[in-house]
Amino acid sequence: MWQNTFKASIRSILKNKSHTLINLVGLSLGTTSAILLALVVRYELSFDNYHENRDRIYRVVTERLKYGEQDYTSGITYPLVDAMRNDFPDIEYAALTDTNQGDPVLGIAQPDGTMERFKEKLVAFADPEYFKIFSYRFIEGSPEALYTEKSIVLSRELARKYFGDVPAVGKLINYNGMYDLTVTGVMENPPKNTDLPFRAIISYRLGADKHGWDDWDSSSSSVNCYILLKAGANAHGLEAKMKGWHLKYFIGDIQAEGEARTYFLQPLSTIHFDQRFTNYSDKVISKATIWSLVLVGLLLFVTACINFVNLNTVLIFNRAKEAGIRKTLGSSKLHLLGQFLGETFIIAVVAVLLSSGLAELSLIQLAPALGYQL
């Protein structure tokens, strides 16, 4: 019975070729658009979700009264990290990250005595505790890599670029022609969905140039402070303790600058979506935009379904005549219902398969252009 119903559905679909084609095109395009938007939303929501202790990681950010208006910055002063580490026992680890050194030139000594130099982007200085806060998979070395004097941790990409398939740990890299760094670790390449896209990380305490900003007055948006709270510690409680805490460090001429500032904690899960602040990936998207994409995707899919229903309604009178003839010839209501539902099911399945293929083809073109890894 069901075999006959299936054959009848196929014959009916092939009989109404133009109607079937319009249905397939409309439903496929709507579904493809919805799939692509769903992938974009999933990608944006996945930023830095892979860190093991993500629920306890925060960035210390600043609210300032500047020229009579509220101003927000992710930048902090250089002494802040040590002060927080010493003054707040709720903090398990604290680390400064600094990309304010520009794009450094890293030099690799060659067998003939020459120095091959590379100007690199996405190189940061960081405190040794950085790898205690964030989760990185080490190919060589360990999360204690930055505790070694004048050390650098490379991504797999840079390690292969500089040293090929030879183990990189123990090799020397010259930094800006000033001093040599020892490779103490090789980490997996950072994923696309991170706001910490560093390709190399240098031990901060052993060489970062503070540009003379080693007081509490000056700050830079490129200098950030990340903390990992102890298990069970309350972030709101820590923020309450931070109210006015810093004023003891703003003395003399910089007292007014301290009074104009308020330090508070920004959860790692919000860094990618909070447009008040910048981040190291230079990618910030608001939650409102995310929900707009979700709404557009749903509307496109619902519209495609409504059009599908409307197009099938056009044939209702012809199908009613066909149903009357089939009933006269002995077809049951169940058989007729099965045929009509079968036609709809076949078209829907084909449309979904086409949508999957179209989405995959679209991603090949869109993902590199948008910088996504969907």
Side-chain angles (χ1 to χ4, degrees):
M1 174 182 174
W2 292 111
Q3 186 177 4
N4 292 333
T5 300
F6 179 75
K7 289 180 179 179
S9 299
I10 293 294
R11 282 197 297 268
S12 178
I13 289 173
L14 295 177
K15 179 181 176 182
N16 300 287
K17 293 184 178 65
S18 59
H19 175 267
T20 301
L21 181 62
I22 293 172
N23 262 334
L24 283 176
V25 171
L27 193 57
S28 298
L29 290 178
T31 306
T32 299
S33 301
I35 290 173
L36 290 174
L37 288 172
L39 290 173
V40 169
V41 169
R42 186 185 69 171
Y43 171 78
E44 295 292 353
L45 293 176
S46 70
F47 265 66
D48 288 308
N49 283 347
Y50 59 90
H51 294 292
E52 182 179 350
N53 297 314
R54 58 187 177 276
D55 295 335
R56 294 193 284 134
I57 298 174
Y58 295 84
R59 180 170 66 169
V60 181
V61 292
T62 310
E63 179 183 7
R64 298 180 298 189
L65 185 64
K66 192 173 183 180
Y67 308 119
E69 297 182 358
Q70 293 301 115
D71 175 63
Y72 296 90
T73 177
S74 58
I76 52 95
T77 58
Y78 284 104
L80 180 136
V81 181
D82 284 335
M84 292 200 69
R85 189 185 288 115
N86 295 331
D87 293 352
F88 299 114
D90 288 341
I91 296 176
E92 184 171 358
Y93 297 113
L96 178 146
T97 54
D98 181 4
T99 60
N100 208 38
Q101 320 302 320
D103 298 334
V105 176
L106 302 182
I108 311 298
Q110 300 302 305
D112 60 2
T114 61
M115 184 74 71
E116 187 174 5
R117 302 184 185 278
F118 304 88
K119 189 172 184 179
E120 299 291 358
K121 297 180 180 295
L122 300 176
V123 176
F125 282 84
D127 278 327
E129 295 181 353
Y130 177 85
F131 288 119
K132 298 289 189 178
I133 298 174
F134 298 102
S135 302
Y136 284 82
R137 188 169 77 84
F138 275 75
I139 302 167
E140 299 178 43
S142 69
E144 285 73 30
L146 292 183
Y147 285 92
T148 304
E149 184 178 357
K150 292 185 178 178
S151 59
I152 181 171
V153 174
L154 301 176
S155 65
R156 178 201 290 266
E157 176 190 7
L158 284 190
R160 180 165 295 182
K161 175 181 176 180
Y162 296 157
F163 307 111
D165 296 328
V166 177
V169 168
K171 302 291 185 181
L172 296 180
I173 295 179
N174 183 267
Y175 176 80
N176 278 345
M178 296 188 298
Y179 48 81
D180 289 332
L181 301 169
T182 302
V183 179
T184 53
V186 176
M187 60 185 179
E188 190 56 82
N189 295 331
K192 293 285 187 181
N193 57 336
T194 181
D195 290 315
L196 300 162
F198 306 133
R199 302 169 72 223
I201 300 176
I202 302 170
S203 179
Y204 164 74
R205 298 186 180 280
L206 305 164
D209 181 4
K210 295 182 180 180
H211 306 281
W213 301 343
D214 53 354
D215 55 37
W216 282 82
D217 188 21
S218 304
S219 63
S220 168
S221 60
S222 298
V223 180
N224 289 185
C225 171
Y226 293 91
I227 64 171
L228 176 67
L229 294 184
K230 291 181 178 178
N234 185 280
H236 296 295
L238 177 56
E239 278 190 328
K241 297 176 185 177
M242 291 170 62
K243 298 290 185 182
W245 148 80
H246 60 285
L247 292 178
K248 65 181 180 179
Y249 297 104
F250 285 82
I251 57 177
D253 295 338
I254 63 172
Q255 181 67 35
E257 176 67 24
E259 292 173 350
R261 297 185 187 186
T262 301
Y263 292 104
F264 62 98
L265 304 180
Q266 181 187 30
L268 178 68
S269 60
T270 68
I271 290 177
H272 190 65
F273 310 105
D274 195 335
Q275 294 186 305
R276 295 175 298 175
F277 306 100
T278 58
N279 58 52
Y280 289 125
S281 70
D282 290 326
K283 296 176 182 177
V284 181
I285 183 171
S286 69
K287 282 292 183 72
T289 301
I290 294 291
W291 288 115
S292 297
L293 292 175
V294 171
L295 181 60
V296 169
L298 288 174
L299 288 175
L300 287 172
F301 183 69
V302 170
T303 301
C305 292
I306 292 174
N307 287 338
F308 179 73
V309 172
N310 288 339
L311 286 169
N312 282 321
T313 304
V314 173
L315 297 179
I316 191 169
F317 295 108
N318 291 336
R319 303 312 299 272
K321 181 179 178 181
E322 177 187 343
I325 294 173
R326 287 182 176 276
K327 287 185 67 177
T328 302
L329 295 174
S331 294
S332 65
K333 290 183 179 180
L334 182 61
H335 180 80
L336 292 173
L337 179 62
Q339 180 184 333
F340 296 148
L341 290 178
E343 293 173 20
T344 302
F345 178 75
I346 291 171
I347 292 175
V349 168
V350 174
V352 169
L353 293 175
L354 286 173
S355 299
S356 301
L358 288 172
E360 189 69 29
L361 291 174
S362 300
L363 287 177
I364 295 174
Q365 301 297 324
L366 289 176
L370 299 175
Y372 285 173
Q373 187 176 331
L374 304 178

